[in-house]
Amino acid sequence: MARGKLRIYLGAAPGVGKTYAMLSEAHRRVERGTDCVVAFVEHHGRPRTEVMLHGLEQIQRRELEYRDTVFTEMDVDAVLERKPAVVLVDELAHTNVPGSRNTKRWQDVVELLEAGITVISTVNIQHLESLGDVVESITGVRQKETVPDEVVRRADQIELVDMSPHALRRRMAHGNIYKPDKVDASLSNYFRLGNLTALRELALLWVADRVDEYLQEYRSEHRVSKIWGSRERIVVGLTGGPEGRTLIRRAARLAEKGAGGEVLAVYIARSDGLTSGSPKELAVQRTLVEELGGTFHHVLGEDIPSALLEFARGVNATQIVVGTSRRKAWQYIFGPGVGATVAVDSGPDLDVHIVTHEEAAKGRGLPVARGARLERSRVIWGWLAGVVGPALLTLLLTHVDVHLGLANDVLLFLTLTVAAALLGGLLPALASAAFGSVLLNWFFTPPVDRLTIADPKNIVALVVFLLVAVSVASVVDLAARRTHQAARLRAESEILSFLAGSVLRGETTLDALLERVRETFAMDGVALLERESETDPWTCTGSVGDVSPPARPEDADVDMPVGDHMALALSGRVLPAEDRRVLAAFAAQAAVVLDRQRLQSQAEHARKLAEGNRIRTALLAAVSHDLRTPLAGIKASVTSLRSDDIEWSDEDQAELLAGIEEGADRLDHLIGNLLDMSRVQTGTVRPLIREIDLDEVVPMALVGVSEDSVVLDIPEDLPMVAVDPGLLERSVANIVENAVKYNPDGEPVLVSASALGDRVEIRVADRGPGVPDEAKDRIFEPFQRYGDAPRGTGVGLGLAVARGFAEENGGTLDAEDTPGGGMTMVLTVPTAAGHLPAPPDLPAAVTS
C-alpha cells in the first residue's frame, strides 16, 4: 500500500489563517470530486473559520472521560474505517487526552499516512521541537506541546501562511481572533509587535532552509553541476594574507544587497606547498567572518583554482570574491595567478569579483615548481624529451655535414637525458639514457651501424654517459618525492594547527568539527560512534552530512578507531593511506571535544549544586536579623505573661497574645519562603499537575490579607488550568502580599483573570510607587527589596519564590506598569487540555 502524502500549513503565530487556508483547500478538493473529510478541526470560536466547515463531511469525534470531565479527540479508528482519500487534522502538535490511541496527534497522523490516507494539517513555528529554546527566549513562554522536526520535514508539501505583524495585530483588535475582553491582554503580552516580528522571521528562515535542503537533494539526485542562483551565496577565496579582511568586508556588502545573502570564506591549504597562510591572520579573518554573519571553511586541495571552483559549485554559490595578485610584474612568467585562472574557468553561471587591495603587486615569494607529484603534463613532456628528443637529435646529426666528435655527441644526448629527468622524473630519464646509449652506439661509435665498439675509450664514454644519466634522474626523482612530502606535511600542519587552536579556544562544537572533517576530505557524511564495551552495540553521538550514519564502523567507507570504544566513520569514498594520518588527528580531536562537552555538562551540574550551597549560606546570613526580630517579640510577650509581679488585665493579655500570634505568623511565613526558595534553587520542586478551577485556588491565596484590601474579579466561564494547586496558591499569595505592602492605604489591589488562547492570565495590579523598567527583572532575584522597604517587612524572597513556582507550573511571571501609576504582576498558567474558552454563538450572516 502506498504511503499517503502529508501537507502542512505552517504559521508564525496563532491567528494568521492556517486553519482557514486548510479548509479552503478542502473545499477546492471537494469541488474537484476528491473524497475529503474533516477528522478534527478546532475553530476556537472564530466565526469566519467556523463557517468554512459548512459543506464538509465531519467524522464524529471520540469522547473520553478523564478526571470526571469529558473531552473529545480525533477518532482514528473511525477515520481508518471510513478511509477517505484526504483527511483534515488540525493542530499537529496537540497532546491527546490520556486513554487515546496515541499520546500525540502527530502519531495519529503518521498512522493515517501509513494507511495510505493523505493528510492536511497545521502547526505553528513555536511548536517545532528544535526551536523550543529560541521561542522561549523570544516570548518568555516555554511551549509544552511540540512536534519533532523530522515529522514536519518529511511532509510532501509545506506551505507558509504569512501575515505581517501589524496586520495580525489589527485582526486581533477587530475581534477576529479572540473575544473583545481578551484583546488588550493579548496585544500587550504574546502578540507584542517585537514577538510577532521575531516569530515571523523564524518561520521564514525555517521554511527557507527546508527549501534549500530540497534543492540540494534535487541537485544531488539529478547530478546537476550547473549553479542555480536561487539564493545569493558569495564565496571568498582567502590566501592567509592581510588582504583577506578587505575581501571579507567587500563580500559582506555584496551579500547585503540581496535578501538572504550568505558569505562563505574558504582557505585552501594547497598540498603542493605553494601557499602558506599566517595562522594568526587566518584566526583574525575567521572571527571577522563570523561577526559579519558568515561561515569559515578550511579545505585541503591539490590546486587552488580548481579547489575553489569545486567548493563554490558544491555549495551552489553564485559569486566568488578573490583579490588581485600580490605578484610583481616579472613574477607572472610563472603563471597567470589564482584570480585570473578562476575567472577564466568559472563559466557563465558563476560571477567572479577581483577586488583590489593595498597588498596588490607588492610581491610574494618565488613559487616552487608546480605539482608536488609531477603533474601528468610534465610527465608527458619528460617522455617526449627522453624518447622523441634523442631520435630527432640523431636525425639532425646524421644529416648535417658536421662532425662534432663522440665526446660532444655524448654531451648533447646527456642534455636531453637531464631535461627528461627534470621534466618527467626517474622513468623517462632512464628510458632516455638507455635509448640514447643505443643510438650513440649504432650511429656514432665505430664501427657505425653495428652494436659493437672497437675503441675501449668509446666504451668508457658510453658507460659514463649512462651512469651520469641514471644519477641525475635519481636525484631529481628523490627531490620531487621530498618536495611532495614536505609540502603535504606543511599543508597537514596548517590544518591541524588551525584545528587545535579552535578546539583549545572552545570555538568548535562536535557537529562543527565533524562538518570540518567532511569538508576537508570531501566526504558525504561523517559520524562519531561509541559503545560502552566490546559486547555493547554502537551508538551515534554525532553525525553530519546527507547520508544516514552507519550503524557500525565496518559499514562505513572509512573508519578510524579512537581508543577501544570509539570510532570515526566516514561515508562517500575510500581515502588514500596518506590521508589517514590527518584523519587520526581529527578523530582524536573529536574525542577531546566530546569529552569536553560532557565535562561542561558535569561542570554545569556542579555549578548548580554550588549555587544551591551558596543560596543556603546566603539564606542563613541574610535572615539572622529577620528571624530574631519576631523571636524577640514572642520571647518578650511570653516573659511578660509569666511574670508574677505584674497582674495583667484581660486587654493587656489579649494584646500580648496577639503579639505572640503575629510573631509566630511572621516566622512561619519567613521560614516557608526560605524553604521554598531553597527548593527552587536546588531544583527539588516536584509539581503534581492536575486540572483545577482558578476560583478554587485564588481565594485561598488571599487568606493572609484583609478582605477590604483586595478586589477579586475571576470570571466563572474561565477554562480549567493544569497546575499544582499548592504552588499556584503560594505564587498568588506572595504576589498579593507584595502588592498590598506597597499599595496606598484605602486603595484596594485588583486581582483579575482572563483566558488567552491556551493560557490563563492572572493580573495583580496595585497603585504603589511602581518600579523602573531597568529594575523589573531584578525584583525577582532572591534578597532583592526595592526602595526603602522597612527591614522588618521581609528579606526579599516573596517574588523570587513566586516566579520559581510559576515556572515549575509551566507558566511565567512578569512585571508591567499599571496604567495611571503602580505595578501589575502578570502570572500566566497553561490551560488544561480540552478546556479552551467556549466559542461565541455563530452569527446569522458571516462575511469573508
Side-chain angles (χ1 to χ4, degrees), residues 441-779:
N441 190 5
W442 184 270
F443 289 102
F444 303 103
T445 306
V448 181
D449 298 333
R450 294 177 61 184
L451 293 177
T452 58
I453 303 174
D455 190 351
K457 295 180 181 180
N458 295 335
I459 297 177
V460 175
L462 290 178
V463 170
V464 170
F465 163 75
L466 185 61
L467 291 176
V468 170
V470 172
S471 300
V472 170
S474 301
V475 170
V476 171
D477 183 71
L478 180 61
R481 287 190 286 111
R482 292 290 185 264
T483 300
H484 168 69
Q485 294 173 357
R488 184 168 187 86
L489 289 175
R490 180 163 61 181
E492 292 176 359
S493 66
E494 288 177 359
I495 292 178
L496 295 178
S497 175
F498 184 83
L499 173 66
S502 61
V503 170
L504 291 175
R505 291 191 300 269
E507 299 173 355
T508 303
T509 63
L510 181 60
D511 288 344
L513 179 62
L514 296 180
E515 181 64 26
R516 187 64 54 91
V517 175
R518 191 186 69 83
E519 288 181 352
T520 300
F521 296 100
M523 305 298 287
D524 294 334
V526 180
L528 185 63
L529 306 179
E530 187 180 24
R531 61 181 177 181
E532 294 294 333
S533 64
E534 297 291 342
T535 58
D536 291 330
W538 291 93
T539 59
C540 180
T541 59
S543 65
V544 296
D546 300 331
V547 297
S548 58
R552 303 176 305 166
E554 296 82 9
D555 300 333
D557 294 319
V558 180
D559 69 284
M560 176 58 64
V562 187
D564 296 331
H565 307 301
M566 188 178 295
L568 193 64
L570 291 80
S571 303
R573 64 187 180 92
V574 178
L575 289 180
E578 58 189 1
D579 287 340
R580 295 184 65 87
R581 181 172 59 253
V582 179
L583 183 60
F586 271 106
Q589 292 285 19
V592 171
V593 171
L594 181 62
D595 289 341
R596 191 182 71 239
Q597 290 181 352
R598 290 174 175 172
L599 289 174
Q600 288 176 345
S601 177
Q602 296 174 3
E604 178 65 18
H605 179 67
R607 188 195 63 78
K608 291 181 179 179
L609 294 177
E611 179 68 14
N613 291 330
R614 188 191 67 80
I615 288 294
R616 283 191 287 269
T617 302
L619 288 173
L620 295 176
V623 304
S624 59
H625 178 273
D626 298 272
L627 282 173
R628 289 173 180 169
T629 299
L631 280 175
I634 295 173
K635 176 67 174 177
S637 298
V638 172
T639 302
S640 299
L641 288 174
R642 296 189 60 186
S643 177
D644 297 332
D645 54 350
I646 300 177
E647 185 175 350
W648 302 100
S649 64
D650 294 340
E651 292 80 3
D652 293 336
Q653 290 182 4
E655 183 177 353
L656 291 173
L657 290 173
I660 294 174
E661 184 178 12
E662 180 183 357
D665 289 340
R666 287 179 57 190
L667 277 177
D668 179 69
H669 181 72
L670 179 60
I671 292 174
N673 274 340
L674 294 176
L675 295 176
D676 291 340
M677 193 67 240
S678 178
R679 292 167 60 200
V680 169
Q681 291 290 340
T682 55
T684 57
V685 179
R686 296 292 182 267
L688 301 176
I689 305 297
R690 66 184 182 90
E691 298 174 3
I692 193 170
D693 287 318
L694 275 184
D695 54 12
E696 298 181 30
V697 179
V698 176
M700 298 296 295
L702 307 181
V703 174
V705 297
S706 60
E707 295 183 2
D708 57 350
S709 62
V710 176
V711 173
L712 191 60
D713 180 18
I714 306 294
E716 296 181 356
D717 60 347
L718 280 180
M720 299 181 71
V721 295
V723 296
D724 184 313
L727 298 183
L728 179 60
E729 180 183 336
R730 289 302 305 275
S731 295
V732 176
N734 284 1
I735 296 170
V736 172
E737 289 177 7
N738 185 78
V740 171
K741 182 194 308 179
Y742 290 98
N743 209 42
D745 294 337
E747 189 77 26
V749 171
L750 175 61
V751 180
S752 60
S754 60
L756 177 62
D758 58 350
R759 319 287 289 177
V760 171
E761 188 176 83
I762 305 172
R763 304 176 73 89
V764 180
D766 64 58
R767 294 292 180 180
V771 176
D773 291 338
E774 62 271 12
K776 281 187 171 63
D777 287 332
R778 195 165 63 247
I779 61 176

Side-chain angles (χ1 to χ4, degrees), residues 228-296:
W228 291 353
S230 57
R231 180 179 180 183
E232 287 294 340
R233 283 192 177 88
I234 304 173
V235 171
V236 185
L238 301 178
T239 64
E243 74 279 1
R245 306 182 199 181
T246 302
L247 304 183
I248 292 170
R249 294 189 180 96
R250 177 59 176 164
R253 291 196 296 272
L254 290 173
E256 290 174 358
K257 295 180 180 180
E262 184 179 358
V263 176
L264 300 91
V266 56
Y267 171 69
I268 300 174
R270 189 163 157 180
S271 60
D272 60 6
L274 285 181
T275 58
S276 179
S278 166
K280 181 179 179 181
E281 184 63 32
L282 286 174
V284 173
Q285 293 173 14
R286 179 176 186 268
T287 302
L288 177 60
V289 170
E290 294 174 349
E291 289 177 351
L292 295 175
T295 56
F296 188 91

